[in-house]
């Protein structure tokens, strides 16, 4: 059965598997100190236009959020997120597990607005009892968001300005960063992201890797003794080569961007199919995830023919369903979808 | 300057100090194993009409919430609270510090409605991705709430029913329990509370003690090896007598209820004063905390003459101020307030 | 039955109770911001000869250790302690609860030697795998130790030197500090302690208070936003006056030192009694805790007549018993002990 | 430069890479629910002779220890380990990070003896102050140990008996389980391990996989809602196929055991080389890790020619060096080593 369930339904881009095979018997040191990790880091720095960036490889998105947030926040701080933020909804309490509160603010289509943020901060500091409250130390954003939407460069810069004014770290979850940057609606490049954010990660798991996320610290703000902190959290891979080789491949000849662009092409075509067939979109997503409103009985019927995700309740008789493309989505997959929707 | 800043502005009820002095040189075992702790526990069980209750003494409200919630919740669970709940706003992230999420739901005048709760739970269990979400394991309520309001017996019973249906613990924060029960609007007794809740605490700090809260487990649900868990959290008092003697005194001759009733009398009189003077109430609180809307400039002026708490912003030019009575509030205090408000 | 079970068998020094009564109805602000806390802090700074010291009041020893260690250590650090250190043995894992390892080193009569410490550190830093190890960030000492023994000024200075060389904080647990300083074998004053240690606490619970410990940060090293961190750990007392008034009393007219000296006098007399009666000491303790080796059957018999603590197994037929004096021990108590031992 | 630095210097066994390639474009559900995970679990259950076993895949050894120990221990419990246990030395405090103490006991050549264990437990429960102590809830063992040594079946059974007597979980760290079981000195099979232990893991990272460990719960003791707990700890791999496919391959046609046996052959030959050349062994290891005592200057010289690990200081002029073989070690590697040692 064809699947649009998510963007991690297939293995790795073939170039990655090829490189893993070619290097397989090379005897390399462990824990991310091998030459492929080094090479991948150099390529990422160049792609970010930030030669002073510090890069760290982790294996998954929740792990990355947990490690970065808990090593950057101070004891008394929490992290601000839109109520729909992944860390607030679908990480099973991973941030709280590290002892820090997720301070949830209202969202608009998955985005946190600079107005909402500023009002919250002004009220917080006007309230004299903030010694009894969690002090906001970081803003967490997703690009694209959990609803596939995108911040404009202006929106992101406004949020960054507030962060710096209030001495908070701006952290971007880039689990699907490629799909965001390659969207026809994006007005940002990877270099913009690196310039505006204090720390962010470039998602690999959802963009062609078997596993792996590349964290980029852009301000000399890599936490001291980070390797110890990774080890302490069970997040240090013995065969660091596994993530190093994958990112080295993804950042060779712009592979990361090319396969992201391909997935966006497929998403645009999928949008056209849904539009043509008269389906209603929950919102207008310019990236690889599309949210369609389905009548509940029809949804169950459809689930017998194609894989997709139930996203959330729309009303008592309708649900929001998510259909995602990814680097491996083919024209054939779309044709099959079109046939099924007939 | 007369103070209505909160309900912990004075020391202890004189009877408590007297008893502390009388027993001072008695050589007693430590850690809550002395005869005054035993006696206090027996009196509380009787007052609760629950001979199988298990009682534990702690020193403060946040500590109590933290200990109870973290020892009862399972690893994968979180605690539901109204967004205005003390654990969600004014405990500096104490629950998250123990690794558990506070799942915030909307409130009405500080109260969580059974409808809101049920809808949340139905949606939660309808969503198939709950393996990636925090599982609700407990409901946290305050009686009275942070806004001084009260649940009716019927409201509490409905919530309890939902809790049992979904196998969640119902926990009541009774930091100001006496003031709630003695309110003229309360339709519950301590015995009702003990019958309906799975665990709750009887607040001492805000009701006449120097410090101390009495946790009541009503269902044989005291966590195993709780003393070790208390010690581990730095919450085991060496001189357990300090809380034992205080609660023994508070539960002798209904002292706890008498001094609570006295504070409610004072609160009713304070309400009359504010009403008479034409002040506007933020909401109708039937307990010892009154919330008054003040124009900002006037509020600053008033703060030069009487102590009270800024509660929150009302609008751009007005604030909500809290005036609290307590067991030690006198008619003289009220007269002085009245004079100041002229 | 007369008790030498520990040094917290009685309530508070009568002067403390008197002061609590005198100030009882004074309306004071909460959370340690009242004038008695301020006054107590000033007196402690003077007694420490350290006008820049920062003081914080907590309620118990384990709580204090947990708060101080976890707010000072960095994410990747642990705390070194003698294997017999209170944090390693009798705090039910309180330090580990905060996410930090207690790095245990061998002891001699409860003391950590500077040689042991230096060898450990040299080996640690010679081992290239320390990215996979807990980095030592603090040294924890008790004065007096859990066996009643004392560091000499020279010993303490040597340890301090190593700490500074290796950029570690030197932290002293002074649960029984008064009894240590007033020992006839001590060559240190409170001023010496304040000069040599980076942070330490002056124990109140075991030296005449109902509860309360005064933490002294001597190097401008009070953690930022400590009040938030206290609240987060359930360690912020609403009626801060309770600890403030007690320490204000203890540091008025040298009361703390006088009652400590009195306990030491009683301990010396107790030692003479045990010696006269031919008992064998487990080690030579110059402070208020005495460790006596008792044959097991005799110990059980004795426990019917006088209260003391089982300390540890000596061999298959003998145990170590602890007899403690405190500020409230009287000549009559000792006479009764002598009679019992006959 | 030829490397015996550790047993994770190369990638994956070629059969694994082949299988990853073959299945690469198959569209599979995430989070370990795919058919390869299912198949791998069935094969492992059969190999363990335990059809009721429950299997879970994780990515690394420290992560596995952290997850298993923290989800099985109760709040008030700690885990017993030999002082040389990996969790006590080289996991940067990962267990403490979860709030639990590692209770270290003395070792003999890396092993915990049943006598040491029993004595500790008897003393612990004889001490009446264990409400202030960490209660032992689990025993952690490594097979082979960190020094390459092995427990005999009898030794393991004795420890298991004590565990059950004291209601503790017996947990075995099998990071190198294959090398242990295939040792010529082992008197146990995988079925024995599964019969004797309550939970253990079969290491993949060090035995031919790119990453991955398979946890086996043998007594219906898989923690409830374990997937939520994994997610909460950042330990749930989106593309669960990555570990599923690897273990499915390793447990097809006994590949896991064959490649382990091959590494043991190489280790035996390496031992012979060292013996022939007159080197002194630190201890007699029957598995894939060999510990050689080297004079410090010679060690530095040797490090220019072959890669191996510094293990620990032997004395002021000598060190212990570790040379490891693994599934990918070849006769050519050994020949090169022999030449270098000339």
């Amino acid at each position: 059965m064809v699947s649009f369930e998510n963007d991690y339904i297939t293995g790795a881009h073939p170039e990655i598997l090829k490189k893993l095979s070619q290097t397989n018997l090379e005897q390399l040191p462990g824990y991310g100190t091998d030459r492929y990790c080094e090479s991948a880091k150099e390529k990422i720095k160049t792609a970010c236009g930030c030669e002073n960036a510090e890069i760290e490889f982790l294996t998954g998105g929740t792990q990355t959020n947990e490690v970065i947030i808990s090593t950057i926040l101070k004891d008394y701080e929490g992290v601000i997120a839109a109520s729909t933020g992944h860390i607030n909804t679908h990480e099973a309490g991973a941030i709280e597990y590290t002892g820090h509160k997720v301070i949830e603010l209202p969202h608009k289509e998955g985005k946190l607005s600079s107005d909402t943020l500023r009002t919250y901060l002004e009220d917080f500091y006007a309230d004299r009892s903030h010694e009894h409250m969690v002090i906001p130390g970081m803003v967490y954003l997703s690009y694209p968001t959990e609803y596939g939407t995108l911040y404009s460069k202006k929106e992101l810069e406004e949020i960054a300005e507030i962060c710096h004014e209030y001495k908070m770290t701006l952290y971007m979850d880039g689990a699907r960063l490629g799909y965001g940057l390659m969207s026809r609606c994006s007005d940002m490049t990877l270099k913009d992201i690196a310039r505006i954010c204090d720390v962010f990660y470039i998602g690999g798991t959802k963009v062609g890797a078997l596993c792996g996320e590349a964290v980029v610290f852009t301000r000399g703000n890599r936490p001291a003794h980070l390797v110890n902190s990774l080890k302490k959290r069970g997040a240090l891979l013995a065969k660091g080569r596994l993530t190093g080789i994958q990112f080295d491949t993804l950042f060779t000849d712009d592979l990361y961007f090319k396969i992201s662009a391909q997935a966006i092409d497929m998403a645009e075509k999928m949008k056209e199919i849904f539009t043509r067939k008269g389906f209603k979109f929950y919102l207008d997503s310019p990236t690889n995830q599309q949210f369609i409103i389905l009548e509940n009985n029809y949804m169950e019927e459809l689930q017998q023919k194609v894989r997709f995700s139930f996203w959330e309740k729309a009303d008592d008789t309708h649900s929001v369903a998510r259909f995602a493309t990814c680097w491996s989505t083919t024209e054939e997959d779309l044709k099959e979808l079109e046939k099924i929707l007939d």
Side-chain angles (χ1 to χ4, degrees), chain A residues 18 31 111 113 120 155 208 213 216 218 225 256 267 332-333:
Chain A
K18 201 171 94 187
Y31 305 111
K111 288 161 66 178
S113 78
Y120 160 76
E155 288 171 334
E213 325 297 320
V216 184
T218 61
H225 293 283
Y256 187 76
E332 284 65 39
D333 293 334

Side-chain angles (χ1 to χ4, degrees), chain A residues 109-110 147-149 280-285 289-291 293:
Chain A
E109 301 199 332
Y147 284 100
T149 53
K280 208 177 143 196
F281 291 85
Y282 178 64
L283 48 64
D284 184 24
S285 159
Q289 303 182 91
Q290 297 299 322
F291 300 88
I293 297 177

Side-chain angles (χ1 to χ4, degrees), chain A residues 183-200:
Chain A
S183 163
R184 294 162 192 181
C185 293
S186 172
D187 64 353
M188 283 196 282
T189 63
L190 183 57
K191 289 187 172 69
D192 291 321
I193 301 288
R195 180 177 49 79
I196 302 172
C197 296
D198 300 313
V199 54
F200 66 100

Side-chain angles (χ1 to χ4, degrees), chain A residues 65-74 95 98 100 138 233:
Chain A
N65 288 333
E66 189 163 352
V67 165
I68 297 314
I69 293 172
S70 70
T71 54
I72 288 187
L73 286 186
K74 303 211 178 70
I95 305 310
T98 71
H100 295 281
M138 182 185 274
R233 285 156 177 81

Side-chain angles (χ1 to χ4, degrees), chain A residues 53-333:
Chain A
E54 296 155 297
I55 319 289
E56 202 70 41
F57 299 116
L58 286 153
T59 45
T62 297
Q63 183 185 77
T64 302
N65 288 333
E66 189 163 352
V67 165
I68 297 314
I69 293 172
S70 70
T71 54
I72 288 187
L73 286 186
K74 303 211 178 70
D75 181 77
Y76 45 85
E77 294 179 334
V79 55
I80 294 171
S83 59
T84 48
H86 202 257
I87 57 168
N88 195 46
T89 56
H90 287 100
E91 301 196 349
I95 305 310
E96 292 83 359
Y97 184 62
T98 71
H100 295 281
K101 189 176 186 69
V102 176
I103 302 164
E104 61 173 83
L105 295 184
H107 75 104
K108 279 185 197 145
E109 301 199 332
K111 288 161 66 178
L112 181 65
S113 78
S114 60
D115 281 356
T116 300
L117 180 61
R118 185 173 289 283
T119 301
Y120 160 76
L121 288 163
E122 286 174 357
D123 289 355
F124 180 87
Y125 284 104
D127 184 339
R128 262 162 294 168
S129 64
H130 57 255
E131 283 198 329
H132 293 196
M133 293 160 82
V134 175
I135 294 179
M138 182 185 274
V139 169
Y140 165 95
L141 297 176
S142 308
Y143 188 87
T145 69
E146 292 71 15
Y147 284 100
T149 53
L150 294 174
Y151 291 87
S152 70
K153 194 190 292 186
K154 186 166 167 294
E155 288 171 334
L156 193 62
E157 283 175 338
E158 282 172 6
I159 288 173
E161 202 184 308
I162 297 174
C163 287
H164 300 150
E165 190 179 333
Y166 285 93
K167 298 194 190 316
M168 302 186 300
T169 296
L170 177 55
Y171 170 46
M172 178 184 280
D173 179 331
R176 298 181 167 94
L177 189 60
Y179 303 136
L181 291 173
M182 290 301 104
S183 163
R184 294 162 192 181
C185 293
S186 172
D187 64 353
M188 283 196 282
T189 63
L190 183 57
K191 289 187 172 69
D192 291 321
I193 301 288
R195 180 177 49 79
I196 302 172
C197 296
D198 300 313
V199 54
F200 66 100
Y201 79 87
I202 302 170
T205 301
K206 287 160 181 156
V207 192
L210 283 165
C211 64
E213 325 297 320
V215 185
V216 184
F217 299 94
T218 61
R219 313 265 191 258
N221 53 339
R222 180 182 184 271
H225 293 283
L226 183 59
V227 177
N228 294 70
S229 294
L230 292 175
K231 185 74 184 166
K232 183 175 181 172
R233 285 156 177 81
L236 187 64
L237 211 55
K239 294 185 179 170
R241 69 198 296 155
L242 173 57
T243 43
I245 289 166
Q246 292 189 92
F247 273 98
D248 195 44
T249 307
L250 287 170
F251 279 83
T252 296
D253 295 336
D254 289 335
L255 182 63
Y256 187 76
F257 300 103
K258 287 175 186 165
I259 65 179
S260 297
Q262 161 75 4
I264 291 297
D265 274 359
M266 293 295 113
E268 290 296 327
K269 287 180 178 167
M270 187 171 73
K271 268 172 99 161
E272 284 164 31
I273 293 170
F274 279 114
T275 305
R276 221 158 41 227
K277 303 279 181 189
F279 284 86
K280 208 177 143 196
F281 291 85
Y282 178 64
L283 48 64
D284 184 24
S285 159
T287 55
N288 73 313
Q289 303 182 91
Q290 297 299 322
F291 300 88
I292 316 291
I293 297 177
L294 300 178
E295 195 278 330
N296 288 344
N297 292 332
Y298 177 69
M299 182 175 73
E300 279 186 36
E301 209 179 288
L302 205 57
Q303 280 169 328
Q304 308 307 314
K305 302 179 199 158
V306 52
R307 298 179 90 157
F308 57 90
S309 295
F310 164 86
W311 199 245
E312 61 187 31
K313 196 168 110 172
D315 60 37
D316 281 351
T317 55
H318 294 79
S319 298
V320 179
R322 183 187 68 173
F323 289 77
T325 64
C326 68
W327 65 273
S328 68
T329 306
T330 61
E331 299 274 2
E332 284 65 39
D333 293 334

